[in-house]
């Protein structure tokens, strides 16, 4: 049996390892398109901070690790997939590669907003090691930097840039920071915290144009301001990397559509990670849940099924945990609330403390938390365990910080969800 894995990020690597463990004699080929060993994009900010070297981003530290596992690595970019012939076509002189089972784990690519001047020198995404190398050359102490986007990825990049002691301005078109992860109050609290650390933040604001200036780049904003900078970072979001699949007959939506076995519309093709559009745990609707824990779990399920086992996903639970210049924030499940549901909110603006719980009947379906980590495991356990709280719902409505007591009292919640 020949297994081919497209993508050598966390999902691809985990799937390859599980396949090798379960199928010692099978052929495994893993394809990556960058000039580096398999690495974690989530480690790039730590590289920019100077906390690690490039080798610190590598997913496996032993340079002979994959060779020892007899996992063949191929460098190339797949440009098309022929499902009938079960062959991939690679760019350049890469030729074609056949497979028996295929895993698509090509992750995400940055979205480039349609802004005049977005392709000028000095404007960079922050997604690859090559991007990080370019940014490190320009983001020197005292450099003037403007970052477009204050979402989850944007806030991680923000912290890396601030650590380099640049003069940083962040522009977010939403009405708050991290708008796809935080409620209005919570996102406003994060903005207040970030500005207190010396970062200028404009929300409800767009970049309208980037042009060359005598001192670098001139960035025109929708609020009427024009800012002179040395570097622009585009962190306006990512999308599943599926362009090369458009000519195949795979069913595609925002990403590659998969069932609860991570199987696509073709029985010999699976998908996992940021590229997969799976079922949301909370709603039953389709979702691209682009977080690394989800990628790891989907890779595990896909690899088991590719090697003849049986494994199914319970659904992708939205889990976001973020450290923004020392302020911890998290959100789970239906953090923005359920239709016909109710909620309780505890706010301490002066001490940057926030907790909001979302209920549907007596079941906790979502939560948002700032300034504390003590509730994270418990809230996840209650939500993913779909625990009927009974009288404990009223207790939490009166005092939402008693989540641990509710969890322990309602022993139905499975402790495994906290791992």
């Amino acid at each position: 049996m020949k297994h081919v894995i497209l993508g050598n990020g966390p999902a691809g690597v985990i799937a390859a390892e599980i396949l090798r463990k379960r199928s010692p004699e099978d052929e495994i080929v893993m394809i990556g398109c960058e000039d580096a060993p398999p690495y974690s994009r989530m480690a790039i900010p730590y590289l920019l901070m100077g906390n690690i070297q490039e080798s610190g981003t590598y997913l496996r530290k032993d340079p002979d690790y994959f060779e020892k596992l007899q996992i063949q690595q191929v460098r190339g970019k797949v440009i098309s997939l022929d499902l009938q012939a079960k062959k991939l076509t690679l760019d350049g002189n890469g030729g074609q590669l056949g497979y028996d089972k295929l895993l698509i784990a090509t992750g995400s690519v940055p979205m480039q907003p349609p802004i005049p001047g977005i392709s000028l020198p000095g404007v960079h995404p922050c997604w690859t090691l090559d991007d990080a190398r370019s940014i490190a050359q320009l983001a020197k102490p005292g450099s003037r930097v403007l970052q477009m986007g204050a979402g989850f990825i944007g806030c991680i990049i923000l912290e890396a840039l601030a650590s380099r002691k640049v003069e940083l301005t962040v522009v977010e078109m939403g009405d708050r920071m991290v708008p796809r992860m935080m409620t209005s109050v919570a996102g406003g609290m994060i903005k207040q915290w970030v500005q207190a650390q010396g970062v200028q933040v404009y929300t409800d604001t767009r970049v309208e144009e980037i042009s060359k200036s005598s001192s670098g780049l001139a960035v025109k904003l929708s609020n009427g301001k024009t800012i002179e900078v040395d570097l622009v970072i585009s962190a306006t979001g990512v999308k599943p990397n599926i362009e090369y699949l458009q000519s195949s007959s795979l069913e595609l939506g925002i990403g590659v559509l998969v069932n609860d076995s991570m199987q696509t519309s073709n029985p010999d093709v699976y998908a996992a990670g940021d590229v997969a559009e799976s079922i949301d745990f909370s709603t039953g609707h389709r979702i691209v849940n682009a977080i690394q824990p989800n990628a790891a779990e989907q890779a595990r399920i896909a690899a088991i099924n590719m090697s003849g086992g049986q494994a199914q996903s319970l659904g992708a639970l939205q889990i976001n945990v973020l450290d923004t210049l020392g302020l911890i924030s998290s959100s789970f499940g239906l953090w923005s609330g359920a239709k016909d549901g109710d909620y309780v909110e505890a706010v301490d603006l002066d001490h940057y403390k926030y907790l909001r719980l979302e209920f549907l009947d007596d079941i906790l379906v979502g939560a948002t938390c700032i300034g504390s980590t003590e509730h994270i495991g418990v809230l996840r356990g209650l939500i993913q365990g779909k625990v009927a709280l009974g009288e404990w719902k009223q207790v939490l409505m009166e005092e939402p910080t008693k989540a641990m007591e509710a969890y322990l009292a309602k022993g139905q919640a499975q402790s495994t969800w906290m791992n």
Side-chain angles (χ1 to χ4, degrees), residues 379-400:
L379 293 174
R380 179 184 176 185
L382 289 171
I383 293 167
Q384 205 156 10
K386 295 185 177 180
V387 177
L389 291 164
E391 70 278 3
W392 275 95
K393 178 191 174 181
Q394 188 56 40
V395 173
L396 292 176
M397 290 292 289
E398 295 173 3
E399 182 46 72

Side-chain angles (χ1 to χ4, degrees), residues 311-332:
Q312 292 183 320
S313 170
L314 296 175
L317 178 65
Q318 295 191 61
I319 304 171
N320 300 287
V321 181
L322 180 64
D323 182 346
T324 309
L325 299 177
L327 183 66
I328 304 296
S329 57
S330 57
S331 62
F332 304 87

Side-chain angles (χ1 to χ4, degrees), residues 362-373:
D362 69 340
I363 294 175
L364 184 70
V365 294
T368 306
C369 182
I370 289 181
S372 173
T373 59

Side-chain angles (χ1 to χ4, degrees), residues 15-16 52 112 136 142 182 184 194 216 244 257 270 305 320 376:
I52 58 174
Q112 183 170 322
M182 290 281 119
S184 180
V194 169
Y244 66 98
L257 303 186
Y270 295 75
N305 291 316
N320 300 287
I376 288 178

Side-chain angles (χ1 to χ4, degrees), residues 10 14 42 274 289-299 317 319 380:
I14 289 170
M42 291 297 99
D274 294 11
N289 193 12
I291 59 174
Q292 192 158 309
N294 182 66
E297 175 64 5
Q298 290 185 343
L317 178 65
I319 304 171
R380 179 184 176 185

Side-chain angles (χ1 to χ4, degrees), residues 21 113 313 349 389 399 415 417:
K21 184 175 181 180
S313 170
L349 292 174
L389 291 164
E399 182 46 72
S415 61
W417 294 123

Side-chain angles (χ1 to χ4, degrees), residues 59-263:
L59 290 167
R60 302 295 178 261
K61 307 310 179 188
D62 181 352
D64 299 321
Y65 178 81
F66 296 102
E67 184 178 355
K68 290 174 182 176
L69 287 179
Q70 295 185 308
I71 296 170
Q72 181 185 352
Q73 296 190 79
V74 172
R75 183 177 298 172
K77 186 175 182 181
V78 174
I79 57 176
S80 66
L81 167 61
D82 185 334
L83 294 173
Q84 187 172 0
K86 301 183 80 168
K87 288 184 178 180
L88 306 162
T89 301
L90 288 87
D91 62 353
N93 296 319
Q96 291 189 318
L97 188 65
Y99 65 86
D100 294 309
K101 298 288 184 181
L102 175 68
L103 175 65
I104 298 172
T106 45
S108 300
V109 291
M111 290 190 288
Q112 183 170 322
I115 297 170
I118 193 68
S119 298
L120 284 172
V123 182
H124 295 277
C126 185
W127 193 241
T128 67
L129 281 177
D130 195 45
D131 293 333
R133 295 168 193 141
S134 299
I135 291 167
Q137 293 296 316
L138 295 170
K140 305 292 187 182
S143 298
R144 303 162 300 171
V145 180
L146 182 139
Q147 177 178 303
M148 297 186 293
F152 182 85
I153 294 171
C155 283
I156 297 173
I157 298 169
L158 176 161
E159 183 160 27
L161 292 170
S163 74
R164 298 180 70 87
K165 302 188 183 305
V166 303
E167 295 180 12
L168 181 59
T169 300
V170 176
V171 177
E172 166 57 48
M173 65 181 183
D175 65 352
R176 59 193 184 276
M177 293 188 71
V178 213
R180 295 182 182 177
M181 169 182 161
M182 290 281 119
T183 65
S184 180
V185 173
M189 189 179 290
I190 295 173
K191 176 182 177 180
Q192 180 180 328
W193 171 270
V194 169
Q195 292 196 133
Q197 314 305 309
V199 178
Q200 179 65 60
V201 181
Y202 296 110
T203 50
D204 272 326
T205 305
R206 296 174 181 268
V207 171
E208 294 187 334
E209 184 180 3
I210 305 169
S211 59
K212 293 181 180 179
S213 72
S214 58
S215 64
L217 295 168
V219 184
K220 181 181 178 182
L221 306 181
S222 61
N223 61 9
K225 297 179 180 291
T226 297
I227 300 176
E228 297 277 338
V229 299
D230 304 298
L231 170 66
V232 175
I233 303 294
S234 178
T236 54
V238 295
K239 60 183 180 180
N241 182 15
I242 61 171
E243 188 63 33
Y244 66 98
L245 297 171
Q246 296 296 336
S247 61
S248 75
S249 58
L250 282 180
E251 290 186 11
L252 305 174
I254 297 173
V256 181
L257 303 186
V258 295
N259 60 20
D260 58 6
S261 298
M262 298 300 111
Q263 192 176 49

Side-chain angles (χ1 to χ4, degrees), residues 294-311:
N294 182 66
E297 175 64 5
Q298 290 185 343
R300 182 189 70 84
I301 292 169
I304 290 172
N305 291 316
M306 290 170 71
S307 54
Q310 291 187 338

